[in-house]
Structures are given as structure tokens and as C-alpha cells.
Amino acid sequence: MKFSEKIALLRREKGMSQEELAQVVGVSRQAVQKWESGQSNPDMENLKLLSSYFGVTLDYLVWEDSSSKESQGQTIQAERVWVTRHGQTRRQRWEYEYISKKKVGKLPLVHIHTGSGLCRAKGVIAIGNVAVGFLSVGIFSLGLLSVGVLSVGLIAIAVLALGLIALGNIGIGLFAAGNLVLGLFAIGNLARGTIAIGNAAFGEMVGIGNAPSGHLAVGFRPSGDITVQVDDLWQLDRALVTHWVKETYPDMWDWLVSLIAFWFHR
């Protein structure tokens, strides 16, 4: 494999554009384009930067052979290094990356990519600053089960969560639970949904809380078409809650009635 092929492969595996790699090394995008097309090669200082950044040896970059990146191992770790270039000292960012050899389809089973910059991870299990996978953990995560600061998924757990089931400080989903939530079924300090349970609950059908509103409103200061005033919300008996909901909505699914009553005292 030639240097031009190796550098293009390494860049694509990190999900970087030629312009992004150029910014890391401190050259123009045209220079990177020439490296990848085989029109020119980087000088020794740039080779050192590339070797450190991608976590491969200089020998691997320079010598033409039939080996692939996989033969160099799947764990890539670049420590913080200081490089003097054109009289200026620059710091290379710290980064750690692990890609498992085992794959499911075209995706690695595990991809871990963390560091001080924009680190993308994509795999069945993905852990990184930006993570995409069936199970994803990251600052920004997308997956069937996603955990992070900003998460989107079938099940999302985050400060800001968006999913079929969303659990977070701010949650938006079919079922949402958290501080500020919006969902078909919403449980939170401030909850809005078709069915809402919380301190301030705004439900189209059912609202249960200290200051609830809804067609059926149960709480300390309820407002709605049908209201039930109670002094101690969380000591409500499940049987009573079930009775009020079934009386108002006799055709409501039993499992949904049970889910509403579940949150209250036996």
C-alpha cells in the first residue's frame, strides 16, 4: 500500500474531510489533496505530526508494502506532544481510539473514540464525543439506546433527550420523564402531554399534579372539565386513580390505566 493510499484510508476512518486534516497538520487543503493523489509527499515534520495524530509508526507511513492498518493493531493512542514548526510551538491534541476487529455487517462491534477534539465513534457499541451506534454513549449520541448530553434514540437518556422513551432534564418522546418534558405520556416537574403527571402537569386527557389541567384533572389545585381536589397527591390510592380514569375514559387500554396508577400509593 502506497503512502497516498494509507493517508486517505486513515483520514476516512476518522470521518475527516481533507480540509479538517489540513487544519490539524497546519497545511492547505490542496497539500493534503496532493498527498492523497500521489503528486507530492509531506516533509519530515508533517510526517511526524501525521504519525502522532493517527497513532501509527513513521515506518508504516513511509514504506510501501502490502500491509493494511488492521495489521498495525486496532488501538490508536496519541499523547499530547509539542512540535516546533516554522519557529512556532504547537500542541497536538490527546486522543484515544479502539476499533474491534470483529464486525457486524460493515460496522465494528465496538468503536471507542475519545479525546480533546471532535472524536467520532460509529459501531454496534459506540463510545465517543460524537457516537452513533445501536448502543451509543457520548456527548452527542444517536442509537437505539443512547446515553449522553444530547441523545437521540429509541431509548434516550441525557440532559437533552429525544426518543420513543426519553429520560432527561429536558425530554421529548412518546414516553418522557424528567424535569421539563413533552410527550404522549409525560412525567416531570413541568410536564405536558396527552397524559401528564407532575408538579405542573398539562394533560389533554389526564393531568395529575399539584397544579394540573386536563379533561380529567386530579391534584391540589386542579383545573379542567372534571376535577378532583386532593390534599396529598402522592398518597393517593392506586385503586382510586384507576377508578377516576376508567370512569372518565371507559375505553382506555387497561395497560395505560395501570401505567397511570402505577406512580401512586398502593
Side-chain angles (χ1 to χ4, degrees):
M1 185 182 294
K2 298 179 180 179
F3 168 79
S4 59
E5 297 171 325
K6 292 176 184 178
I7 198 67
L9 176 63
L10 290 166
R11 175 182 62 79
R12 287 195 296 268
E13 287 184 347
K14 277 191 176 291
M16 303 177 71
S17 66
Q18 290 181 340
E19 186 172 357
E20 288 172 328
L21 180 57
Q23 290 174 354
V24 169
V25 182
V27 297
S28 66
R29 184 188 64 81
Q30 289 76 14
V32 174
Q33 188 178 33
K34 288 181 179 179
W35 295 347
E36 294 187 0
S37 65
Q39 296 178 42
S40 66
N41 292 316
D43 60 24
M44 182 55 67
E45 289 184 354
N46 283 333
L47 281 171
K48 289 178 180 178
L49 279 169
L50 291 168
S51 171
S52 176
Y53 181 71
F54 288 117
V56 295
T57 64
L58 280 173
D59 285 346
Y60 170 72
L61 286 177
V62 173
W63 294 103
E64 181 177 336
D65 55 37
S66 59
S67 65
S68 65
K69 183 171 175 287
E70 284 73 12
S71 67
Q72 299 296 315
Q74 294 296 314
T75 301
I76 306 165
Q77 189 167 4
E79 301 292 340
R80 287 188 177 91
V81 296
W82 296 83
V83 180
T84 301
R85 191 170 184 277
H86 301 307
Q88 295 182 341
T89 302
R90 305 174 58 206
R91 187 180 72 176
Q92 175 73 0
R93 71 184 188 184
W94 176 86
E95 188 173 357
Y96 172 84
E97 185 172 20
Y98 169 79
I99 304 173
S100 66
K101 292 183 179 180
K102 187 173 182 180
K103 293 187 176 182
V104 178
K106 294 183 178 180
L107 292 176
L109 179 62
V110 179
H111 187 182
I112 301 171
H113 193 184
T114 61
S116 58
L118 180 63
C119 300
R120 302 181 181 92
K122 186 175 182 180
V124 177
I125 300 172
I127 301 172
N129 294 358
V130 178
V132 179
F134 289 94
L135 169 59
S136 59
V137 180
I139 296 174
F140 303 100
S141 57
L142 173 65
L144 293 180
L145 172 58
S146 58
V147 181
V149 176
L150 172 58
S151 295
V152 179
L154 185 67
I155 301 174
I157 304 171
V159 175
L160 176 56
L162 175 62
L164 188 66
I165 299 175
L167 309 175
N169 190 45
I170 300 175
I172 301 173
L174 186 66
F175 176 89
N179 189 39
L180 175 60
V181 293
L182 175 64
L184 184 66
F185 193 110
I187 301 175
N189 189 41
L190 176 58
R192 185 176 184 88
T194 303
I195 297 168
I197 300 173
N199 187 38
F202 303 93
E204 294 179 17
M205 293 176 63
V206 180
I208 304 176
N210 287 328
S213 66
H215 178 64
L216 169 63
V218 180
F220 185 63
R221 293 188 299 273
S223 62
D225 300 318
I226 303 170
T227 60
V228 179
Q229 186 172 2
V230 296
D231 294 328
D232 192 342
L233 180 69
W234 303 111
Q235 290 300 315
L236 278 176
D237 188 272
R238 288 182 183 176
L240 276 176
V241 176
T242 300
H243 170 72
W244 292 328
V245 175
K246 288 294 288 183
E247 190 176 63
T248 308
Y249 297 103
D251 296 328
M252 183 178 286
W253 294 319
D254 289 340
W255 67 267
L256 186 53
V257 176
S258 298
L259 184 59
I260 297 170
F262 171 80
W263 307 96
F264 300 97
H265 191 67
R266 291 184 182 274

